[in-house]
Amino acid sequence: MISHLRQTFAFVLFSLLLFPAVAAGDDLKKVNIGVDWFINPNHGPLVVALERGYFADAGLDVTLVPPEDTLDNVTMVLDGRVAIGMSDQPRTQIEIAGGSPLSVVGTLIPVPLNVVLAIDGGPIKTVEDIRGKRVGYADSEKTESDLLMIALSAQGITRSDITLVDVGFAMVPALLDGKVDVLTDVYRNFEPIQLKLAGKTPIVFDVESGTMPTYSELVYIVNDALIEPEIVEKFLVAVERSVTSIIEDPEAGWETFIKYDPKLDNELNKLSWEATVPLYATDPAEVSRQSFARFATFLVANKLVSAMPAVQNYIYELEP
């Protein structure tokens, strides 16, 4: 698939040089692409591809669709509101084990970002201090909260020892306002920066390290019953072009990113952009089967799922 996509990428660029008028015309395939959260630097490759016309060059008229709530990113894929969406690897595999007709078609961020976050000077100084405290989260009971408990169990902390509080999108505000004592399901490249800008010193606990296999924080997913291979191929070609351009000139990429919405132009997003650019998957079409296989074994061993289908059944391969 990877070599095929690169051949397609080269062909698309060659065609644009020969037939720019056609590429610039109105004969584009309208397609909704879902993101997993409100637009932020994690989504830089998609925003830059849209703003610079890379999607249009590939034949797609793309609209980016954020979720209406914190669980909507997968639902939008399942009900057909978006042709391609994104999710974290753990939730994706759990959904698939539960029977959801999902396949993974590519990778946005191939490393974990999730951390546990507290404020220096507050009630949490060590992981042990989480015992008896309120833990804010923004995901389903079968993903981040369960993964958190697996990590905390290594410290002897059980679910009955903490109080889980669903804080939705308002992660850091809930911590700053004292509604919770600590947060999980926050990203190391965003929320700790947000705390610093609020004048607080973040305490970051990487409780997942050593307690579970590494995984991709964000992958591209499709509904098997609704998939259009041509759209997937064109999408990945445009995203690869976008990632390459961002890495070659991150500052120019930032300037393009904030054109999407002037509200994105703030210090938090700028600092997050700088932290996130090195994390983008340089080959978005590549999906690590080994990573998915290891995490599938972990999910079954920890009884988060009863069984997992074979990896080849849900990592999508485009036809050569």
Side-chain angles (χ1 to χ4, degrees):
M1 179 175 70
I2 297 168
S3 60
H4 175 55
L5 279 171
R6 285 173 178 162
Q7 292 170 2
T8 305
F9 186 17
F11 176 77
V12 169
L13 293 179
F14 179 70
S15 300
L16 293 175
L17 293 175
L18 290 180
F19 309 110
V22 174
D26 296 327
D27 191 20
L28 302 177
K29 175 72 172 180
K30 292 185 180 295
V31 57
N32 290 336
I33 303 295
V35 297
D36 65 311
W37 204 254
F38 54 81
I39 295 293
N40 63 73
N42 284 347
H43 312 129
L46 278 68
V47 173
V48 169
L50 180 60
E51 288 297 306
R52 291 185 177 173
Y54 298 160
F55 285 131
D57 290 346
L60 301 178
D61 179 3
V62 165
T63 299
L64 299 181
V65 182
E68 294 181 5
D69 62 53
T70 59
L71 297 180
D72 207 29
N73 57 313
V74 173
T75 305
M76 293 191 298
V77 176
L78 293 173
D79 66 19
R81 276 178 283 166
V82 300
I84 300 171
M86 65 177 63
S87 179
D88 60 272
Q89 180 183 329
R91 182 183 173 199
T92 300
Q93 290 189 275
I94 289 171
E95 290 275 356
I96 290 168
S100 294
L102 296 172
S103 284
V104 181
V105 298
T107 307
L108 174 55
I109 295 181
V111 295
L113 296 179
N114 189 48
V115 293
V116 170
L117 182 64
I119 298 175
D120 189 23
I124 309 293
K125 296 177 177 61
T126 68
V127 173
E128 172 60 30
D129 293 333
I130 296 174
R131 189 187 305 274
K133 302 300 192 299
R134 299 162 300 166
V135 180
Y137 75 103
D139 209 336
S140 75
E141 285 293 327
K142 290 302 292 178
T143 50
E144 289 303 338
S145 58
D146 280 347
L147 293 178
L148 172 68
M149 294 320 306
I150 291 171
L152 291 182
S153 66
Q155 307 293 326
I157 300 174
T158 67
R159 188 178 291 273
S160 62
D161 292 327
I162 66 172
T163 300
L164 288 167
V165 181
D166 186 352
V167 297
F169 289 114
M171 303 291 284
V172 169
L175 185 59
L176 290 171
D177 292 343
K179 296 178 181 177
V180 294
D181 304 301
V182 65
L183 295 172
T184 188
D185 195 23
V186 293
Y187 287 167
R188 68 185 76 235
N189 60 330
F190 196 85
E191 279 83 3
I193 298 172
Q194 190 176 5
L195 267 187
K196 288 180 182 178
L197 292 176
K200 304 296 183 180
T201 300
I203 300 178
V204 175
F205 300 105
D206 188 4
V207 296
E208 292 183 355
S209 179
T211 64
M212 64 191 69
T214 189
Y215 57 86
S216 294
E217 192 64 61
L218 291 174
V219 292
Y220 299 114
I221 58 175
V222 296
N223 184 330
D224 291 336
L226 303 173
I227 187 172
E228 296 185 56
E230 184 179 6
I231 289 178
V232 173
E233 185 169 311
K234 290 178 176 180
F235 170 82
L236 291 171
V237 165
V239 171
E240 181 177 350
R241 183 181 176 192
S242 181
V243 171
T244 299
S245 71
I246 291 170
I247 292 173
E248 288 177 349
D249 192 341
E251 188 59 34
W254 163 254
E255 293 298 328
T256 300
F257 175 74
I258 60 178
K259 287 180 181 177
Y260 178 78
D261 183 348
K263 294 178 182 177
L264 294 172
D265 186 8
N266 57 55
E267 189 176 6
L268 171 58
N269 278 331
K270 182 63 166 65
L271 293 172
S272 178
W273 177 269
E274 294 169 358
T276 305
V277 167
L279 305 177
Y280 295 142
T282 55
D283 189 346
E286 184 175 2
V287 179
S288 173
R289 291 191 174 210
Q290 288 185 337
S291 172
F292 273 81
R294 284 193 298 266
F295 211 84
T297 299
F298 165 82
L299 291 173
V300 173
N302 285 276
K303 298 182 172 54
L304 296 186
V305 302
S306 58
M308 281 294 307
V311 169
Q312 60 265 28
N313 291 344
Y314 58 87
I315 292 183
Y316 183 78
E317 289 281 355
L318 289 168
E319 293 295 329

